[in-house]
Amino acid sequence: MALLMLDPEAVLTFILVSEHKSFTKAAHALNTTQSAVSMRLRRLEEQLGVLLVERSTRSLKLSSPGQAFIQPARDFLSAHDRAMGVFETHRPQLSIGISHHLVGLDVSQVLASIARENPGLIVNLTVDGSQALLARYEQGEMDAIILMKHASGRRHGEKIGVARFGWFGAPDFESGTREEIPIVIYPEGCSMRNMVINSLGDANVQWREAFIATSATNLRAAILAGFGVGALSINVTENGLLDLGDTFGLPRLPSRDIMLLSQVRSHQTQRGIETIKMAISDLSNS
């Protein structure tokens, strides 16, 4: 009897298809094409002699053999990673960037998920502006970046959550005059600034610049200091800020898709990415 040797890449593909319930999303996660995902899964099914995934025009689900195989598949991939790591002198490293506009999402929870699920992975996290992160990613300096989708023309990426925003201020903040609301805002050229100005303009709200912040950290600090009201992720509540949108009659801010761009190759770093995606999805949907 010929010895059956499973292809780790094909097994990983099967796992991602089962988790995402989508060939397209699995292709995004693997940084490949949908046809390549289909081909890998078909080869694995032919090798095993069973149908692992039942597909229709409207749904995708695991077959009975697929349900029986999913946990052994995960165990196989974990054993493969351990075997490959026996003689490695360096632990796997994941270099990831997150837009500073999203740091309102509790990054400590995201990092805790990585530490718990991927204890052998070294994580190099950078928080910066979207354009800076995108430039470093395209130069190959980062394995993955997580950004907000402001422009409909952004050419690639996988949606992993939704960022929602509110108008936050310090608990004791008073505008002084209802005619002109002081706003803490980002500088020219920032997509968040454009979103804020457009929302205020559409609602005919009278406002003035009270503080120009170059980062989300500075923006929160200025809001806490009482300079004015600013737009932040609705998850930013741990700093003692209050949502004052209704208090001052400010307009509802639009939501933005949270996008993942990834060029991860190894199984261990890919598992780290999957952990981050699930953690951010849970936070953004809470």
Side-chain angles (χ1 to χ4, degrees), residues 27-45:
H28 279 307
L30 291 165
N31 195 33
T32 188
T33 63
Q34 184 174 335
S35 60
V37 167
S38 298
M39 183 174 62
R40 290 175 193 169
L41 184 58
R42 185 169 62 251
R43 283 204 305 259
L44 181 61
E45 290 176 327

Side-chain angles (χ1 to χ4, degrees), residues 33-246:
T33 63
Q34 184 174 335
S35 60
V37 167
S38 298
M39 183 174 62
R40 290 175 193 169
L41 184 58
R42 185 169 62 251
R43 283 204 305 259
L44 181 61
E45 290 176 327
E46 291 173 352
Q47 186 179 26
L48 296 174
V50 296
L51 182 69
L52 295 172
V53 176
E54 295 177 352
R55 287 153 278 190
S56 71
T57 55
R58 294 186 177 181
S59 66
L60 184 154
K61 64 179 182 178
L62 295 183
S63 64
S64 295
Q67 293 174 9
F69 182 59
I70 186 64
Q71 188 55 53
R74 294 191 178 106
D75 295 340
F76 166 79
L77 207 57
S78 295
H80 176 272
D81 288 342
R82 290 196 300 272
M84 293 297 292
V86 168
F87 301 108
E88 287 185 354
T89 57
H90 301 287
R91 289 162 58 196
Q93 181 168 324
L94 173 64
S95 177
I96 186 166
I98 299 180
S99 168
H100 65 157
H101 298 310
L102 295 172
V103 293
L105 294 169
D106 194 339
V107 176
S108 65
Q109 289 189 36
V110 175
L111 294 178
S113 298
I114 304 172
R116 182 175 61 252
E117 302 294 335
N118 307 273
L121 184 65
I122 300 173
V123 178
N124 181 357
L125 174 67
T126 299
V127 177
D128 204 341
S130 296
Q131 294 303 317
L133 292 177
L134 190 59
R136 292 184 61 184
Y137 175 81
E138 292 180 342
Q139 291 168 8
E141 297 177 11
M142 290 190 159
D143 300 313
I145 53 175
I146 297 172
L147 313 171
M148 286 191 305
K149 184 177 181 180
H150 282 283
S152 59
R154 181 159 281 169
R155 58 187 175 85
H156 56 325
E158 176 189 357
K159 178 181 174 181
I160 61 173
V162 177
R164 297 176 177 84
F165 302 92
W167 297 100
F168 287 88
D172 58 349
F173 173 75
E174 295 183 5
S175 68
T177 172
R178 296 286 176 141
E179 296 179 0
E180 212 174 49
I181 304 296
I183 299 294
V184 179
I185 197 169
Y186 290 105
E188 295 283 350
C190 176
S191 297
M192 277 289 293
R193 176 188 175 90
N194 295 337
M195 182 181 81
V196 166
I197 291 176
N198 291 338
S199 297
L200 293 170
D202 291 343
N204 295 316
V205 173
Q206 298 299 311
W207 64 281
R208 63 179 174 83
E209 284 184 336
F211 189 98
I212 299 177
T214 56
S215 71
T217 300
N218 292 340
L219 191 83
R220 283 200 302 277
I223 295 171
L224 279 167
F227 277 91
V229 177
L232 287 170
S233 163
I234 61 173
N235 297 86
V236 183
T237 56
E238 70 277 4
N239 290 331
L241 300 175
L242 298 180
D243 190 334
L244 300 178
D246 291 340

Side-chain angles (χ1 to χ4, degrees), residues 5-26:
M5 300 293 291
L6 294 176
D7 176 10
E9 191 171 48
V11 174
L12 175 61
T13 299
F14 163 67
I15 292 172
L16 292 179
V17 168
S18 71
E19 290 177 347
H20 289 292
K21 294 181 173 57
S22 165
F23 279 68
T24 302
K25 291 181 179 179

